[in-house]
Amino acid sequence: MPIEQEVVDFPTLGWLCASWVKWHCVVPSGAQYNQPFVMRGWQLWNACKFYELDRHVTFNREFPEQGSAFRYRRAQIVGTQKIGKSPFGAALACFEAVGPCIFAGWAKGGEVYRCADHGCSCGFAYRYSKGEPMGMRRKVSLVQLVANSIDQTANIYRPIQTMARNGRLGDLMAVREGFIRLPNNGRIEPVTSNAKSKLGNPVNFALFDESGLYTNTNGMFHVADTISRGAAGMDGRSIELTNPWDPHDASFAQATYESRVSDIWKFYRKHDPHLDFMNLDDRKKIIAYEYAGAPWVNLKNILGECNELLERDPAQARRFYGGELVQGLGSYLTLAEWDDTEKDQPEPAEGTAVCLGFDGSRSGDWSALRAETVDGYRFTPTYGPDHRPTFWNPDAWNGRVPRGEISAAVDELFRRYKVARFYCDPHLWETQIDDWSLIHGDDVVIQWPTNQISRMYDALVRFKTDIDDRVTTHSKDADAQFCALNARKIAKPGDKYILGKPSEHQKIDILMADILAHEAAADMRATGWASQNRYKVIFFN
């Protein structure tokens, strides 16, 4: 849905923020330099979402809630270059520093926020509607601008300096050497991995610029984690601004994007995955989509810059101008291929005939179990009273895969479903697989080594072909998608390949179990499995 059509049907301080910013802040560069900063399109939508209130929050005048009053603890905005992320971030930092960014109760209608009541002579006034959330300033604001280097912090810090000097913020913000002074000894300061002395400082609001560059190697992942914890301890919040990242880097941005917690607002507009960025006509459509809502961008210049960059670094061109998380050369499946065979439907009912696949590990990697029905529908079963999905991350189990949990899940699935065949990769799991075959039959539970190159290659080709031909479909599952898109082809002799992962954090284990389940189902269909499980329809007169 275009951003212009999004509906703000939730309580938010976003309207107050946008009005305050328009009055106080100026455009820091470009053709509209020094004109009022007007949020529009994606900027206004994200301001409204970032300041969305918990509908049930109440106002305590003595101890007002700060970050905890809002629906989202932090936010991430992913977008192409030059769409206005940095000026938007600078405007939010100003609002957090000296604006009415704290919830101050629900309006009865007619109340007015006046800057004159808070030491600012700019003349700004905002009248609240009935039921609208009201805002107030923090007594002391401590804002950190975080980036990989001092030069990088300038992307946000310079626009803030321009807004402080040229806008209506002079009563409240004083630009000093290396920081900006705020009322009551508050401050805005840049932070990098080299400024370790600042990491323990209290912070109300943190802005992470280009978090796609924060890795364990350069130390910025630790910096971002530390500052996030500091903000949480102060009942503060944070926001990330970044271009699409390189999946090989295991960045802080990627960790945020892949997090399954519900209190992170994520904004990442993705174009139609069927459009091919390497095709000029499609590339024009992609760029027009990615830069919608950014009228200050000249699409002709962007296209020309993109075309030039494509010649020497296609991956960067696709990330910076196409908004793509480029999987890199050798990818086994594309997002479009995965999405085209997705079916959003409930887990099959008890008694359904299925085949299973299992890929196990000891530690580090995940262990996973997948299932496929007679008609080719693949899914991750659940087990136990709390319906846990059948994949196991050792990080959630004290660093080791819980073998007892997995055996319990296998037993439950055999009770619940009519399991025709179960292919298991035996590496490190021979004992458990032998036990399962004794219980459920060695003609059903079968060891299927994934390290046999020719056999595995044939299975990979069949799986990929059946996906392309839509012979098989799959459930809507973010974890399975994560593993599927991580997989890379590893070349082997004889023009064959197997699958590998590009880095340690990019798991592929659910996909491996998926392939084994599909191979088991395909082999069973060759024996007439489908005809054995057709239901006869009886008509009664």
Side-chain angles (χ1 to χ4, degrees), residues 290-301:
E290 293 294 334
Y291 287 90
W296 50 86
V297 174
N298 185 300
L299 297 187
K300 181 180 178 181
N301 286 346

Side-chain angles (χ1 to χ4, degrees), residues 27-41:
V27 177
S29 61
Q32 292 188 308
Y33 175 70
N34 263 358
Q35 296 298 307
F37 188 95
V38 180
M39 292 187 186
R40 65 185 78 200

Side-chain angles (χ1 to χ4, degrees), residues 13 53 59 61 64-65 102-107 128 133-136:
L13 291 180
L53 271 298
F59 178 56
R61 187 171 298 277
E65 292 190 60
I102 302 301
F103 174 67
W106 303 97
Y128 296 106
M134 299 184 292
M136 65 181 189

